[in-house]
Amino acid sequence: MVRTTWIALSAVVLVAAGVAWTTYREVDAGIRRSTAIPTDAPRSSSGTTVLVMGLTTRRDLDGGTPPDDVLDALHAGDVDRGGYNANALIVLHLPAGAGGAKALSLPRDNNAPLLGIPGGPQRGKVKEAYGRAKAAVERTLPTTLDPAEQEWLGREAGRRAQVETVQALLGVPIDHLAEVSMVGFHHLTEALGGIDVCLNRATADPHSGADFPAGPQHLTPAQSLAFVRQRHGLPNGDLDRTRRQQAFLSALLHRLRSEGPAALGPVAEVAKHNVVLSEGWDVLAAVQGVPGVTFTTLPLVPEDEPDAGPALRAAVTAALRPSGPSGPGAAPSPIPCVD
C-alpha cells in the first residue's frame, strides 16, 4: 500500500531525490486536499505526525470504476469487493529537529473502539472505521447530489473517523493525513515500471496472484501489488504483509534516490490523480533535513484481549522514544530480504 504507502514517504522521496522546487509546487497544487482534521484538533508537541492510509477500494477518488485492464491487473475481484477498509495504516512521525523519521505500521486487525461514526462509537477492527463512517454519512445525503460529491463527502467522513480512531487507540495526536487506494498503488508502480524486491524463499498465493522465486528480483506493476497484498502462505500472515510494505518503501526510496528527478515525472502525475493530503500541509517544509526512516511494526493484540490500547500505546511510546547517541554501524540494506 504505498501508493498504499508511497504516500507515506512521498515528500521524503521528493526531497531525497532532489526534485526541483517548481516540480514540487506543481504536484502540490494538483493534489486533492482534505479538511477531515479540524484546525483546532490536538497537535503533536514535537515534530509532525501523519496517518498514512492505504484503502482497499478499487474505485477512483470520484467513485468511478477503473478500466477492465486495470481491474484485471489488480487481481482483486470486482470493483466493490473489499469495501473501504483502511488495510494499510502507518503512523509517520517527522521530528522537529535533527534525526530520522519513524514509521509505525499498525496491524489492521487490532480490535478497537471505532470513533467518529454517526450514531455513536462502535467496536470492530481498526481498519473498519473509514468504511463504516462513509456508509453512515452517505445514507443521510440527498439522492440528488452529484455522485462525485457524494463520494467525496463520504470519504471525508471516513477520513475523520479513521484519524479519531487511530489517535485514540495509540494515544498520539494526528497532525495530517495521506491517503491512497489500491488502484492508485497500481498506477504508481506502473509509472515506475515496477520495483526491485528480495524474498527469503519462493512463494505462491492464488488469492493475491503472487508467484515469486527466492532472492532479488524485479517485479512488474501487477506483481508489485501482489507482493504487498500477499498474506496467505506467509509464516506470520498479516504481519509479514506489513513487513513487505516496509520493504517496498525502502526499495522505492532507494530507487528514487539513485535515479533522481528523472524518475519522478510520471510519479508526480499519478499523485495528482490518486493522492489525498491534509489541507494546508506544506510537505516539503515538514521533511527538509530528514535523513531517513526507521520502520517499526506494532503488535497485533489477541482478539480475546478486551482492550488492545495499553499494549499498543506502550509500543508506540517505546518506538518514538528518542534514541541516544551511538557509534557508526553497518548501513542497512536498501532492499531488505523478507518472507
Side-chain angles (χ1 to χ4, degrees):
M1 305 192 169
V2 172
R3 253 287 181 122
T4 264
T5 275
W6 94 281
I7 318 183
L9 304 173
S10 60
V12 180
V13 170
L14 291 173
V15 176
V19 66
W21 175 258
T22 53
T23 302
Y24 165 76
R25 280 302 175 201
E26 179 186 352
V27 175
D28 186 64
I31 287 179
R32 300 277 286 271
R33 292 287 181 166
S34 168
T35 58
I37 300 178
T39 56
D40 60 352
R43 300 291 170 175
S44 298
S45 58
S46 176
T48 301
T49 305
V50 184
L51 177 62
V52 182
M53 298 178 283
L55 302 183
T56 54
T57 182
R58 286 75 162 146
R59 293 187 178 275
D60 63 26
L61 287 176
D62 294 323
T65 303
D68 288 344
D69 61 326
V70 173
L71 284 175
D72 289 342
L74 296 181
H75 198 83
D78 64 46
V79 69
D80 288 318
R81 186 174 180 181
Y84 285 82
N85 285 334
N87 267 9
L89 291 165
I90 297 177
V91 175
L92 178 68
H93 183 72
L94 303 166
K102 296 183 178 182
L104 314 181
S105 295
L106 173 59
R108 62 178 188 160
D109 287 334
N110 273 299
N111 289 316
L114 306 180
L115 307 182
I117 301 173
Q122 302 179 15
R123 286 200 65 85
K125 297 185 184 300
V126 64
K127 66 182 179 182
E128 296 173 339
Y130 192 113
R132 292 196 195 184
K134 180 180 185 294
V137 165
E138 287 180 349
R139 286 193 291 268
T140 70
L141 298 176
T143 57
T144 55
L145 197 64
D146 177 76
E149 181 68 11
Q150 177 174 309
E151 181 76 6
W152 180 258
L153 293 175
R155 289 200 187 191
E156 281 286 83
R159 292 169 193 131
R160 284 192 293 273
Q162 199 65 64
V163 167
E164 287 183 32
T165 296
V166 170
Q167 66 184 5
L169 182 64
L170 301 186
V172 293
I174 302 295
D175 304 299
H176 297 291
L177 65 82
E179 173 192 304
V180 68
S181 67
M182 184 183 294
V183 71
F185 174 84
H186 169 76
H187 289 316
L188 169 77
T189 54
E190 190 173 46
L192 290 172
I195 203 74
D196 295 322
V197 302
C198 178
L199 285 170
N200 290 322
R201 56 183 63 84
T203 183
D205 168 35
H207 298 281
S208 64
D211 187 3
F212 309 124
Q217 55 204 283
H218 182 81
L219 302 185
T220 67
Q223 289 174 324
S224 299
L225 182 60
F227 173 78
V228 298
R229 286 187 63 231
Q230 183 183 0
R231 62 189 173 96
H232 298 283
L234 300 180
N236 298 294
D238 254 13
L239 293 180
D240 280 336
R241 175 161 65 175
T242 296
R243 295 184 184 103
R244 284 187 174 200
Q245 295 166 13
Q246 296 168 356
F248 184 96
L249 275 176
S250 296
L252 179 59
L253 286 167
H254 174 69
R255 163 93 173 267
L256 294 180
R257 285 192 183 108
S258 299
E259 297 184 13
L264 288 170
V267 175
E269 193 60 31
V270 167
K272 292 181 185 180
H273 299 287
N274 295 278
V275 178
V276 176
L277 298 176
S278 297
E279 182 70 43
W281 181 26
D282 189 333
V283 180
L284 187 64
V287 303
Q288 279 183 317
V290 176
V293 183
T294 300
F295 296 94
T296 299
T297 302
L298 299 177
L300 175 58
V301 180
E303 284 196 39
D304 58 2
E305 179 67 38
D307 185 1
L312 289 168
R313 288 191 285 274
V316 169
T317 298
L320 296 182
R321 185 177 297 125
S323 44
S326 60
S333 170
I335 305 177
C337 286
V338 294
D339 285 325

